[in-house]
Amino acid sequence: MTMPQSHALAILITGTILGSAAIALDAPPPVTDAMFAPTTPEMVAVGHLLFWDPILSGNRNISCATCHHPKFGTSDGVSLSLGEGATGLGSDRIIDPDNRPEQRIPRNAPAMFNLGAMEFTTLFHDGRIQADPAQPNGLRTPLDQEMVQGFSGVLSAQTMFPVLSQDEMAGHYSENEISKAVRSGRLTGQDGAWDLIAQRVRAIPAYQSAFEAALPEVAAGRAIAFTDISNAIADFITWEWRSDDSPFDRHLRDEVALSGEALRGMELFYGAAACSTCHSGPFLTDHQFHAMGVPQFGPGKAERFENHARDEGRFRVTGREVDRYAFLTPSLRNIALTAPYGHTGSHRDLAAFVAYHADPATGVAAYERDQPVLHDFDGKPIWTAMDDPQERARITAAVATPPIQLSPEDVTALTTFLSSLTGATAPTGRLGIPDTVPSGLPVDQ
């Protein structure tokens, strides 16, 4: 079969699952430089160091890279992370017996590929950070009016959440000056949590010099602000994790066409399997929210005063019934590197997740509880939601998409196509892991 390669025209799909009918579908355009926010080499350089530096965490023991590491496709290789109170990487991360975590992180650590593309205006599984021109700072977040001016966009603003989270990076209630500030509600202003982090960075001469080289206003005497730190990290993520050098990209650019199982999988993806209904565009996401019946386990998304293990997704942000159990469509770029899958990391196997995703109502009854990758965290219940027939029924009842019947051969073809989305530089990034960081703290290698 020969595929027409013009992306201004339609693709002619004639895969075996479609029978004899030919269906014309639009292919996404190739990725271009114009799709990405601009960066500067100086900000990328300082952001590179800050991303890997534990200095931003309350107890100086966790960096951004701890849960977004290239070894695990810019995630951390486990279903639900252990943040503060553990050491190590991925599934080898172990609990610190002298400072045990209070709970698992309730959602899977998302990958970071292509988040610097300007079409990514909504972040986190529940979309709690969104671009909003109507707001004074151009952002809508749970912090509302406490948001400060100066974030370059949503990618910069998202860095403020992990550093304020006691379970992720801040530390628990009275462990350090940052966790104490968070606990007392001091986020902004002098001696607020963000300023305390900025004070740490300002005190390191190498960072001071790097920001002076990157920002004329800092060179002129303005103190380094937390927004400078977050903007630098955003520039780094934009540069480091841009990924558009996969076989799929070569296909879109009319360089080397996909063939064999990858081609058949693409035909299914844009045809009868209906994957492109939600996974559309150059980054294979519609940036919308859908309830897909992903198995729920772990602590759920609840405040400390709430007594449940549910995660109702977008509903917690909007309060709209239509958003209950809906989560943001992830980009599929480099998906073969980013296991486990789903907002809880419910499946370690990509083919198993594809099959489940096609028919969640059937899949939940046959779900194998050995699919998640979980740390041994004794004494903490994990299957509360799945053990509740009513909650399980609510999760599957929220699924609005019709089931898709896929044969094992179809699943194999789709998985092969998804593997063609892996970029050549994705496993390492462009700059890679620094040997050292200016704070002198250990780097997660």
Side-chain angles (χ1 to χ4, degrees):
M1 182 184 298
T2 301
M3 287 284 290
Q5 294 294 292
S6 172
H7 306 292
L9 302 175
I11 296 179
L12 189 64
I13 304 294
T14 58
T16 56
I17 191 172
L18 302 181
S20 60
I23 299 176
L25 297 171
D26 289 331
V31 175
T32 65
D33 291 348
M35 294 178 180
F36 288 82
T39 63
T40 68
E42 295 81 8
M43 285 290 272
V44 168
V46 68
H48 178 216
L49 298 173
L50 287 164
F51 184 87
W52 290 92
D53 200 330
I55 194 68
L56 304 185
S57 64
N59 290 326
R60 296 177 171 84
N61 59 348
I62 297 172
S63 71
C64 303
T66 304
C67 293
H68 299 283
H69 201 285
K71 283 184 178 178
F72 310 105
T74 69
S75 182
D76 64 353
V78 297
S79 298
L80 303 177
S81 308
L82 293 178
E84 180 55 53
T87 59
L89 288 175
S91 60
D92 293 329
R93 194 163 174 79
I94 58 174
I95 291 171
D96 181 350
D98 298 321
N99 181 28
R100 298 177 65 81
E102 292 190 8
Q103 67 173 27
R104 303 175 197 268
I105 308 302
R107 293 172 179 160
N108 183 253
M112 312 204 81
F113 296 111
N114 294 314
L115 295 184
M118 289 182 287
E119 70 175 59
F120 286 86
T121 58
T122 303
L123 294 179
F124 291 114
H125 291 293
D126 58 10
R128 62 188 181 275
I129 290 187
Q130 288 186 290
D132 184 352
Q135 299 298 319
N137 51 25
L139 299 164
R140 188 190 314 145
T141 81
L143 295 179
D144 197 21
Q145 299 307 312
E146 288 190 87
M147 280 294 294
V148 297
Q149 302 281 345
F151 292 106
S152 59
V154 291
L155 184 55
S156 173
Q158 64 85 29
T159 64
M160 71 184 179
F161 280 85
V163 299
L164 297 181
S165 169
Q166 62 185 39
D167 294 316
E168 295 183 50
M169 294 180 72
H172 298 123
Y173 294 140
S174 59
E175 290 180 339
N176 58 73
E177 75 279 17
I178 292 171
S179 66
K180 290 177 183 177
V182 172
R183 174 64 170 167
S184 62
R186 289 185 290 108
L187 306 181
T188 61
Q190 187 174 8
D191 290 333
W194 291 330
D195 186 59
L196 292 170
I197 294 170
Q199 288 177 35
R200 289 183 180 183
V201 172
R202 291 196 294 264
I204 299 173
Y207 280 130
Q208 181 65 38
S209 298
F211 272 112
E212 288 176 359
L215 298 172
E217 56 270 36
V218 174
R222 178 178 65 75
I224 297 168
F226 180 79
T227 49
D228 299 323
I229 295 167
S230 61
N231 291 344
I233 292 173
D235 268 27
F236 166 71
I237 292 171
T238 299
W239 172 264
E240 183 78 347
W241 306 120
R242 172 173 170 174
S243 185
D244 61 336
D245 55 356
S246 69
F248 180 61
D249 290 296
R250 292 195 290 274
H251 179 96
L252 294 180
R253 291 180 177 132
D254 302 338
E255 296 169 358
V256 181
L258 293 177
S259 61
E261 282 290 275
L263 175 58
R264 180 169 179 265
M266 187 178 77
E267 293 170 348
L268 289 168
F269 188 94
Y270 288 101
C275 307
S276 62
T277 303
C278 300
H279 293 285
S280 56
F283 302 108
L284 288 85
T285 172
D286 62 359
H287 304 287
Q288 300 300 311
F289 299 86
H290 305 280
M292 296 304 298
V294 171
Q296 175 62 45
F297 48 87
K301 193 68 173 177
E303 301 296 341
R304 285 298 198 266
F305 59 82
E306 294 179 295
N307 185 26
H308 66 77
R310 297 189 304 276
D311 189 344
E312 296 173 313
R314 181 67 171 163
F315 174 80
R316 288 187 66 87
V317 177
T318 67
R320 301 190 310 163
E321 188 61 34
V322 69
D323 290 328
R324 200 182 292 271
Y325 301 110
F327 295 86
L328 185 65
T329 304
S331 169
L332 298 183
R333 293 301 191 133
N334 302 301
I335 190 172
L337 304 178
T338 64
Y341 305 105
H343 75 272
T344 54
S346 61
H347 290 75
R348 68 179 67 200
D349 180 75
L350 181 55
F353 188 66
V354 169
Y356 185 101
H357 207 55
D359 187 0
T362 299
V364 71
Y367 179 64
E368 298 177 356
R369 295 189 181 188
D370 62 353
Q371 274 288 328
V373 181
L374 294 166
H375 300 99
D376 183 16
F377 192 16
D378 55 348
K380 298 290 183 179
I382 189 165
W383 294 108
T384 305
M386 290 291 284
D387 286 337
D388 181 347
Q390 291 182 324
E391 180 63 11
R392 195 166 62 244
R394 284 190 289 265
I395 292 171
T396 54
V399 178
T401 55
I404 302 293
Q405 299 304 310
L406 298 176
S407 70
E409 293 76 20
D410 295 334
V411 171
T412 297
L414 283 167
T415 306
T416 303
F417 168 63
L418 293 174
S419 294
S420 80
L421 305 177
T422 303
T425 58
T428 59
R430 294 179 171 186
L431 298 177
I433 305 173
D435 293 328
T436 60
V437 289
S439 68
L441 293 167
V443 175
D444 284 324
Q445 299 288 342

